[in-house]
Amino acid sequence: MFVMLHVPWLQSCANLMQIGAPLPLLGCLGQYFKVLESMEVLAGQHGKEIIEFPILKLNGRTMEIESTFHMYVQPVVHPQLTPFCTELTGIIQAMVDGQPSLQQVLERVDEWMAKEGLLDPNVKSIFVTCGDWDLKVMLPGQCQYLGLPVADYFKQWINLKKAYSFAMGCWPKNGLLDMNKGLSLQHIGRPHSGIDDCKNIANIMKTLAYRGFIFKQTSKPF
């Protein structure tokens, strides 16, 4: 289900699309999109942990990337990465050893968002992920396990798979690969790299926006 956010200029943007006028705000949902694709992998025999945390600040008017947050995360429950993890993501043990814990990374996310003006109540923004897993299951689950709070801004997001299916009329079974193929886009970087996945999400969003698609929140209130 697509939920329309109450953004002051949303209706005027939709009206402009109906009459074919140039779009002053391509994204039409918020002033900024926060593209997130946390990389959680099997770090041990009994569970997943987040080991990469990238976010792109995407301007809702131009659909261009304005800022990047990117950190690797030291797994604490299962500190040793498996060979499967490294083969899948390209992340080796040395890239996470000595890195901040998830708690520290989340603190730095908050600092980065404040610096970028994304915590200003007058600035509208929302996270975008490739699926619901990152913010509906993985992050809340790991925070609960570690006894960490989940910031309210992580509780609203756009599932790009749902947005794409609404725009294109088909479900992308293979995620980013299918979406890039459906839009005739070249895949950026390495599959299953968190930061590269974010760049692909941003590129797909830009392409859909230029085709006139209006992004809407897809997550339900917690």
Side-chain angles (χ1 to χ4, degrees), residues 141-156:
Q142 190 169 352
C143 284
Q144 182 180 28
Y145 182 83
L146 296 174
L148 304 175
V150 179
D152 286 342
Y153 47 68
F154 284 126
K155 299 178 181 179
Q156 297 181 21

Side-chain angles (χ1 to χ4, degrees), residues 108-123:
R108 295 186 189 183
V109 166
D110 199 75
E111 293 170 358
W112 174 77
M113 289 181 59
K115 176 185 174 183
E116 294 295 327
L118 295 171
L119 300 184
D120 185 331
N122 295 317
V123 175

